Amino acid sequence: TDMRKSCENWCNIRGAGAGKPSTTNTAEPAIIDAYFWLKTPGESDGCTATLPSGEVCPRFDSDCQSIDSIGSAVGEPRAPEAGRWFDYQVKQLAELAHMN
C-alpha cells in the first residue's frame, strides 16, 4: 500500500511501515530475484529545514518538506540530517509494519 499523496515524495514518509525483511523468497521468482532493504530502517532520509535542536539544517532538501514527509505538519517532530537515527520514524515503521 502506498500512503503517499504523490509517488515523487520519498523523504521520511508519514504513515509508512516496515515491509518484508530482505529475502530471496519472492512472490514471482521468475522475474523478482529478491526483496532487499536499501537502508537501515530508522535512519533519516533527510532533515527538515529546522533540526530537532532548533538549528537550521545545513543540508536541507526541499523534498523533505513534502506534504507526505514527517515534520511538515504542525505538531510533528523535526527530522534529523540524513543517516542520523530518527526515533519517531523507526517507531512508526515498527507500529505500521507489514511483515507478511
Side-chain angles (χ1 to χ4, degrees), residues 38-62:
L38 298 178
K39 73 174 196 70
T40 303
E43 283 184 357
S44 179
D45 296 324
C47 53
T48 46
T50 304
L51 293 168
S53 66
E55 297 174 295
V56 173
C57 179
R59 298 186 307 152
F60 174 65
D61 182 327
S62 61

Side-chain angles (χ1 to χ4, degrees), residues 43-95:
E43 283 184 357
S44 179
D45 296 324
C47 53
T48 46
T50 304
L51 293 168
S53 66
E55 297 174 295
V56 173
C57 179
R59 298 186 307 152
F60 174 65
D61 182 327
S62 61
D63 286 335
C64 292
Q65 194 171 318
S66 78
I67 192 168
D68 295 317
S69 297
I70 297 170
S72 65
V74 175
E76 289 182 327
R78 305 297 103 190
E81 290 199 55
R84 294 285 179 105
W85 189 251
F86 193 3
D87 196 62
Y88 180 88
Q89 183 188 39
V90 77
K91 288 175 180 172
Q92 173 191 270
L93 292 170
E95 179 183 342

Side-chain angles (χ1 to χ4, degrees), residues 14-47:
R14 180 186 305 105
K20 293 179 177 280
S22 298
T23 181
T24 56
N25 184 16
T26 69
E28 299 283 341
I31 59 172
I32 302 171
D33 294 327
Y35 301 127
F36 186 73
W37 286 359
L38 298 178
K39 73 174 196 70
T40 303
E43 283 184 357
S44 179
D45 296 324
C47 53

